[in-house]
mmCIF file of all heavy atoms in Angstrom:
data_model
loop_
_atom_site.group_PDB
_atom_site.id
_atom_site.type_symbol
_atom_site.label_atom_id
_atom_site.label_comp_id
_atom_site.label_asym_id
_atom_site.label_seq_id
_atom_site.Cartn_x
_atom_site.Cartn_y
_atom_site.Cartn_z
ATOM 1 N N ALA Z 30 56.366 80.792 95.569
ATOM 2 C CA ALA Z 30 57.048 82.074 95.807
ATOM 3 C C ALA Z 30 56.473 82.805 97.013
ATOM 4 O O ALA Z 30 57.192 83.458 97.757
ATOM 5 C CB ALA Z 30 56.946 82.943 94.568
ATOM 6 N N ARG Z 31 55.195 82.689 97.223
ATOM 7 C CA ARG Z 31 54.555 83.461 98.269
ATOM 8 C C ARG Z 31 54.716 82.867 99.669
ATOM 9 O O ARG Z 31 55.060 83.538 100.619
ATOM 10 C CB ARG Z 31 53.060 83.594 97.947
ATOM 11 C CG ARG Z 31 52.385 84.697 98.718
ATOM 12 C CD ARG Z 31 50.946 84.790 98.347
ATOM 13 N NE ARG Z 31 50.819 85.209 96.952
ATOM 14 C CZ ARG Z 31 49.880 85.995 96.518
ATOM 15 N NH1 ARG Z 31 48.968 86.422 97.333
ATOM 16 N NH2 ARG Z 31 49.815 86.332 95.267
ATOM 17 N N SER Z 32 54.474 81.565 99.786
ATOM 18 C CA SER Z 32 54.437 80.982 101.134
ATOM 19 C C SER Z 32 55.665 80.145 101.494
ATOM 20 O O SER Z 32 55.747 79.620 102.577
ATOM 21 C CB SER Z 32 53.182 80.122 101.287
ATOM 22 O OG SER Z 32 53.237 79.053 100.365
ATOM 23 N N GLY Z 33 56.621 79.990 100.599
ATOM 24 C CA GLY Z 33 57.804 79.194 100.902
ATOM 25 C C GLY Z 33 57.566 77.721 100.653
ATOM 26 O O GLY Z 33 56.594 77.325 100.027
ATOM 27 N N ALA Z 34 58.457 76.913 101.162
ATOM 28 C CA ALA Z 34 58.414 75.468 100.910
ATOM 29 C C ALA Z 34 57.370 74.774 101.773
ATOM 30 O O ALA Z 34 57.198 75.095 102.940
ATOM 31 C CB ALA Z 34 59.778 74.867 101.165
ATOM 32 N N THR Z 35 56.708 73.812 101.174
ATOM 33 C CA THR Z 35 55.765 72.958 101.882
ATOM 34 C C THR Z 35 56.119 71.516 101.560
ATOM 35 O O THR Z 35 56.445 71.182 100.426
ATOM 36 C CB THR Z 35 54.317 73.239 101.428
ATOM 37 O OG1 THR Z 35 54.019 74.605 101.652
ATOM 38 C CG2 THR Z 35 53.329 72.385 102.184
ATOM 39 N N VAL Z 36 56.048 70.670 102.566
ATOM 40 C CA VAL Z 36 56.324 69.248 102.389
ATOM 41 C C VAL Z 36 55.013 68.499 102.544
ATOM 42 O O VAL Z 36 54.330 68.641 103.559
ATOM 43 C CB VAL Z 36 57.353 68.756 103.433
ATOM 44 C CG1 VAL Z 36 57.529 67.255 103.347
ATOM 45 C CG2 VAL Z 36 58.675 69.463 103.248
ATOM 46 N N LYS Z 37 54.658 67.720 101.515
ATOM 47 C CA LYS Z 37 53.462 66.887 101.573
ATOM 48 C C LYS Z 37 53.923 65.446 101.613
ATOM 49 O O LYS Z 37 54.727 65.024 100.778
ATOM 50 C CB LYS Z 37 52.569 67.121 100.356
ATOM 51 C CG LYS Z 37 51.951 68.495 100.323
ATOM 52 C CD LYS Z 37 51.032 68.656 99.140
ATOM 53 C CE LYS Z 37 50.432 70.042 99.155
ATOM 54 N NZ LYS Z 37 49.498 70.230 98.046
ATOM 55 N N VAL Z 38 53.421 64.690 102.590
ATOM 56 C CA VAL Z 38 53.814 63.294 102.739
ATOM 57 C C VAL Z 38 52.585 62.406 102.866
ATOM 58 O O VAL Z 38 51.573 62.796 103.424
ATOM 59 C CB VAL Z 38 54.734 63.078 103.966
ATOM 60 C CG1 VAL Z 38 56.098 63.664 103.741
ATOM 61 C CG2 VAL Z 38 54.127 63.619 105.231
ATOM 62 N N LYS Z 39 52.695 61.220 102.283
ATOM 63 C CA LYS Z 39 51.714 60.165 102.504
ATOM 64 C C LYS Z 39 52.391 59.235 103.483
ATOM 65 O O LYS Z 39 53.483 58.717 103.200
ATOM 66 C CB LYS Z 39 51.391 59.449 101.190
ATOM 67 C CG LYS Z 39 50.336 58.383 101.323
ATOM 68 C CD LYS Z 39 50.025 57.780 99.955
ATOM 69 C CE LYS Z 39 48.958 56.722 100.079
ATOM 70 N NZ LYS Z 39 48.669 56.110 98.771
ATOM 71 N N ILE Z 40 51.787 59.031 104.650
ATOM 72 C CA ILE Z 40 52.440 58.295 105.727
ATOM 73 C C ILE Z 40 51.566 57.164 106.247
ATOM 74 O O ILE Z 40 50.342 57.187 106.075
ATOM 75 C CB ILE Z 40 52.819 59.233 106.901
ATOM 76 C CG1 ILE Z 40 51.596 60.005 107.394
ATOM 77 C CG2 ILE Z 40 53.943 60.157 106.510
ATOM 78 C CD1 ILE Z 40 51.858 60.897 108.582
ATOM 79 N N ARG Z 41 52.226 56.179 106.858
ATOM 80 C CA ARG Z 41 51.514 55.070 107.489
ATOM 81 C C ARG Z 41 51.959 54.977 108.937
ATOM 82 O O ARG Z 41 53.146 54.940 109.239
ATOM 83 C CB ARG Z 41 51.822 53.757 106.776
ATOM 84 C CG ARG Z 41 51.028 52.590 107.379
ATOM 85 C CD ARG Z 41 51.263 51.304 106.675
ATOM 86 N NE ARG Z 41 52.618 50.869 106.976
ATOM 87 C CZ ARG Z 41 53.331 50.064 106.219
ATOM 88 N NH1 ARG Z 41 52.840 49.628 105.094
ATOM 89 N NH2 ARG Z 41 54.536 49.698 106.564
ATOM 90 N N ASN Z 42 50.982 54.969 109.828
ATOM 91 C CA ASN Z 42 51.266 54.778 111.248
ATOM 92 C C ASN Z 42 51.663 53.314 111.426
ATOM 93 O O ASN Z 42 50.897 52.415 111.105
ATOM 94 C CB ASN Z 42 50.025 55.114 112.079
ATOM 95 C CG ASN Z 42 50.273 55.025 113.560
ATOM 96 O OD1 ASN Z 42 50.950 54.142 114.052
ATOM 97 N ND2 ASN Z 42 49.692 55.966 114.284
ATOM 98 N N LEU Z 43 52.873 53.072 111.938
ATOM 99 C CA LEU Z 43 53.369 51.702 112.051
ATOM 100 C C LEU Z 43 52.693 50.903 113.159
ATOM 101 O O LEU Z 43 52.807 49.687 113.199
ATOM 102 C CB LEU Z 43 54.886 51.704 112.265
ATOM 103 C CG LEU Z 43 55.717 52.157 111.066
ATOM 104 C CD1 LEU Z 43 57.192 52.176 111.406
ATOM 105 C CD2 LEU Z 43 55.456 51.279 109.867
ATOM 106 N N ILE Z 44 51.976 51.566 114.049
ATOM 107 C CA ILE Z 44 51.288 50.848 115.122
ATOM 108 C C ILE Z 44 49.848 50.511 114.721
ATOM 109 O O ILE Z 44 49.402 49.384 114.857
ATOM 110 C CB ILE Z 44 51.334 51.650 116.434
ATOM 111 C CG1 ILE Z 44 52.792 51.725 116.909
ATOM 112 C CG2 ILE Z 44 50.450 51.017 117.500
ATOM 113 C CD1 ILE Z 44 53.034 52.578 118.109
ATOM 114 N N THR Z 45 49.112 51.492 114.180
ATOM 115 C CA THR Z 45 47.711 51.254 113.803
ATOM 116 C C THR Z 45 47.550 50.852 112.342
ATOM 117 O O THR Z 45 46.482 50.429 111.935
ATOM 118 C CB THR Z 45 46.870 52.520 114.050
ATOM 119 O OG1 THR Z 45 47.345 53.557 113.187
ATOM 120 C CG2 THR Z 45 46.941 52.953 115.500
ATOM 121 N N ASN Z 46 48.595 51.054 111.533
ATOM 122 C CA ASN Z 46 48.612 50.747 110.097
ATOM 123 C C ASN Z 46 47.712 51.675 109.281
ATOM 124 O O ASN Z 46 47.415 51.388 108.131
ATOM 125 C CB ASN Z 46 48.263 49.281 109.843
ATOM 126 C CG ASN Z 46 49.100 48.699 108.735
ATOM 127 O OD1 ASN Z 46 50.189 49.194 108.459
ATOM 128 N ND2 ASN Z 46 48.618 47.655 108.107
ATOM 129 N N GLN Z 47 47.249 52.781 109.856
ATOM 130 C CA GLN Z 47 46.434 53.747 109.124
ATOM 131 C C GLN Z 47 47.314 54.539 108.164
ATOM 132 O O GLN Z 47 48.436 54.913 108.502
ATOM 133 C CB GLN Z 47 45.769 54.734 110.074
ATOM 134 C CG GLN Z 47 44.656 54.159 110.897
ATOM 135 C CD GLN Z 47 44.090 55.211 111.825
ATOM 136 O OE1 GLN Z 47 44.809 55.803 112.624
ATOM 137 N NE2 GLN Z 47 42.793 55.445 111.710
ATOM 138 N N VAL Z 48 46.788 54.810 106.972
ATOM 139 C CA VAL Z 48 47.500 55.600 105.967
ATOM 140 C C VAL Z 48 46.759 56.904 105.767
ATOM 141 O O VAL Z 48 45.542 56.918 105.622
ATOM 142 C CB VAL Z 48 47.592 54.830 104.630
ATOM 143 C CG1 VAL Z 48 48.226 55.691 103.556
ATOM 144 C CG2 VAL Z 48 48.359 53.537 104.809
ATOM 145 N N PHE Z 49 47.499 58.011 105.783
ATOM 146 C CA PHE Z 49 46.897 59.306 105.510
ATOM 147 C C PHE Z 49 47.939 60.277 105.000
ATOM 148 O O PHE Z 49 49.122 59.959 104.960
ATOM 149 C CB PHE Z 49 46.159 59.878 106.732
ATOM 150 C CG PHE Z 49 46.940 59.843 108.011
ATOM 151 C CD1 PHE Z 49 47.669 60.946 108.438
ATOM 152 C CD2 PHE Z 49 46.930 58.717 108.818
ATOM 153 C CE1 PHE Z 49 48.380 60.912 109.616
ATOM 154 C CE2 PHE Z 49 47.628 58.679 110.004
ATOM 155 C CZ PHE Z 49 48.355 59.789 110.407
ATOM 156 N N GLN Z 50 47.470 61.466 104.580
ATOM 157 C CA GLN Z 50 48.372 62.484 104.050
ATOM 158 C C GLN Z 50 48.487 63.632 105.025
ATOM 159 O O GLN Z 50 47.539 63.942 105.743
ATOM 160 C CB GLN Z 50 47.872 62.978 102.702
ATOM 161 C CG GLN Z 50 47.868 61.866 101.678
ATOM 162 C CD GLN Z 50 47.709 62.375 100.268
ATOM 163 O OE1 GLN Z 50 47.647 63.560 100.016
ATOM 164 N NE2 GLN Z 50 47.651 61.452 99.330
ATOM 165 N N LYS Z 51 49.663 64.250 105.016
ATOM 166 C CA LYS Z 51 49.913 65.339 105.930
ATOM 167 C C LYS Z 51 50.806 66.361 105.245
ATOM 168 O O LYS Z 51 51.618 66.020 104.392
ATOM 169 C CB LYS Z 51 50.599 64.785 107.185
ATOM 170 C CG LYS Z 51 50.522 65.686 108.361
ATOM 171 C CD LYS Z 51 50.671 64.892 109.631
ATOM 172 C CE LYS Z 51 50.379 65.855 110.748
ATOM 173 N NZ LYS Z 51 50.234 65.287 112.013
#
Side-chain angles (χ1 to χ4, degrees):
R31 197 179 294 216
S32 63
T35 302
V36 174
K37 293 183 180 182
V38 289
K39 183 177 181 181
I40 55 177
R41 183 178 70 204
N42 184 320
L43 291 178
I44 294 175
T45 64
N46 219 24
Q47 288 179 303
V48 175
F49 49 95
Q50 297 194 3
K51 199 156 188 169

